Amino acid sequence: MSSFKSRVLVAVIGVPVLVWVVLWAPSIVMMAALALLAGIAAHELMQCVGLDKTSFLLSWTMISAIFSVEWYYDRPSYIVVWWTIYVVTAFIYAIVKAGEVKFVQVLAGIFAVMFIPYSFSAFLRLESSGLHRAYLLLPFILSFACDTFAYFAGMAFGKHKLAPKVSPKKSIEGSIGGLLGNLLCGLLFAFVMDRWFGGSIGYGSMAVLALACGVVAQVGDLSFSLIKREFGIKDYGHLFLAHGGVLDRFDSVLFVTPVIEIILSFVK
C-alpha cells in the first residue's frame, strides 16, 4: 500500500473513532483508549532506547503506563504510590541486571510512566472539570493544525532552517505559518462554540491559548524528533501505517494537552 493510500485509510478510520471517543463515548471508554495509547507509547519509547522485546523492564513499563492512566481515572490521589512502586522495581531490576540495563533506559521508563500518562489523562481531568466535551478536541486541533499549516507554509516560503540538526526540513517560515494557522483555527473554534454551544472561552483567551499551544506543539514535535535522531530510528512504530506510531502521531499532543488544561483552569 502506498504512503498516500495508507494515510487516507488512517484518516478515514481514525478521525471518526477519535471524534466519537472524545465527544460521545462513556468516560470509562475514553479512559481505556487513553490507557491503551499510553501503554503503546511506553512500549515504543523503550524499544527506541534499545530494550529487548523480551526485557522485563519493557513489559513492566508498558503495564505501569497503562495503570497510571487508570489510577488517574479512579484513584488520582494515590498515583504517586504507583510511580514509587514502578521506580523502585525498575532500579531493583537494573541492579540485578547490572551492565545490561542502562541508566538512560531507566530514565526513559520513568518518563514513559509519568509524563506520557499524565499528558493523556489530562483529557480525563478536562472532562471532569465541567467544560463542554468539545473542548477536548482542542489538543488535537491545536496540534494537527500547527503541523499542517507549518508544513504548507514551509513548502511555500521556507528558506531559513529552524533546527537543522534535529529536523532539517523544518523552517522558521513554516514555524510562523504554524502559529498563524493555530491562531486561525483557535478563533474559528471559539466562534463555533460561542455561536452554537454557549462557549465559555473568550476570543482573547483563545488567541493566547492557540499561540502558546503553537509554540509548545512545535517543541513537542522537535523533542521527539531529537530522541529519534539520537537513537537512529525513523519512526517509533507502525500502528498508524505511514503516520508511524503513537509517539509519531501524538508527539505534539502530549505537550499541548497539559498546557491547555493549565490555561483553561484559569480562563474558563
Side-chain angles (χ1 to χ4, degrees):
M1 182 183 297
S2 68
S3 174
F4 175 75
K5 288 182 178 179
S6 67
R7 288 176 182 272
V8 171
L9 178 63
V10 170
V12 169
I13 297 175
V15 172
V17 171
L18 184 149
V19 172
W20 177 77
V21 170
V22 170
L23 295 183
W24 297 294
S27 297
I28 194 169
V29 173
M30 185 190 301
M31 182 276 292
L34 293 168
L36 180 61
L37 287 174
I40 296 172
H43 186 275
E44 291 175 353
L45 183 62
M46 298 309 281
Q47 284 210 287
C48 170
V49 299
L51 274 181
D52 187 83
K53 291 182 179 180
T54 61
S55 171
F56 164 79
L57 186 57
L58 186 147
S59 301
W60 175 232
T61 302
M62 184 176 181
I63 293 169
S64 297
I66 291 171
F67 274 95
S68 289
V69 175
E70 193 276 330
W71 277 41
Y72 263 120
Y73 178 72
D74 63 2
R75 50 178 77 88
S77 59
Y78 294 99
I79 189 65
V80 175
V81 175
W82 181 251
W83 286 348
T84 302
I85 293 172
Y86 171 81
V87 171
V88 171
T89 305
F91 271 104
I92 289 174
Y93 179 73
I95 292 168
V96 172
K97 295 288 186 178
E100 295 181 28
V101 177
K102 308 300 182 183
F103 182 57
V104 67
Q105 295 171 334
V106 176
L107 288 181
I110 294 173
F111 180 86
V113 170
M114 293 185 181
F115 177 73
I116 292 175
Y118 174 80
S119 297
F120 276 131
S121 61
F123 288 98
L124 302 174
R125 296 190 296 273
L126 283 169
E127 182 198 18
S128 65
S129 71
L131 285 168
H132 192 289
R133 281 186 74 164
Y135 283 103
L136 273 64
L137 290 172
L138 267 180
F140 301 106
I141 294 172
L142 298 182
S143 298
F144 299 157
C146 184
D147 182 58
T148 302
F149 278 88
Y151 174 78
F152 286 109
M155 289 284 289
F157 309 107
K159 292 182 179 179
H160 302 89
K161 300 298 184 182
L162 178 65
K165 292 184 178 180
V166 178
S167 186
K169 293 183 179 180
K170 295 187 185 301
S171 66
I172 294 175
E173 293 80 5
S175 175
I176 294 172
L179 294 177
L180 295 177
N182 250 27
L183 179 61
L184 174 64
C185 291
L187 292 176
L188 180 60
F189 179 86
F191 172 77
V192 171
M193 293 301 297
D194 182 59
R195 185 70 180 270
W196 288 288
F197 301 99
S200 57
I201 311 300
Y203 291 105
S205 298
M206 182 58 72
V208 172
L209 177 64
L211 290 173
C213 288
V215 173
V216 173
Q218 294 181 51
V219 171
D221 185 12
L222 289 170
S223 296
F224 280 100
S225 293
L226 178 66
I227 297 171
K228 286 193 293 186
R229 182 166 290 274
E230 180 174 341
F231 289 94
I233 64 170
K234 183 179 182 296
D235 293 313
Y236 285 102
H238 304 287
L239 178 65
F240 300 111
L241 304 179
H243 286 285
V246 171
L247 292 178
D248 296 293
R249 186 66 277 175
F250 293 98
D251 48 6
S252 299
V253 175
L254 286 170
F255 275 64
V256 166
T257 310
V259 172
I260 290 178
E261 178 190 10
I262 293 168
I263 294 178
L264 290 188
S265 70
F266 288 101
V267 303
K268 71 177 181 177

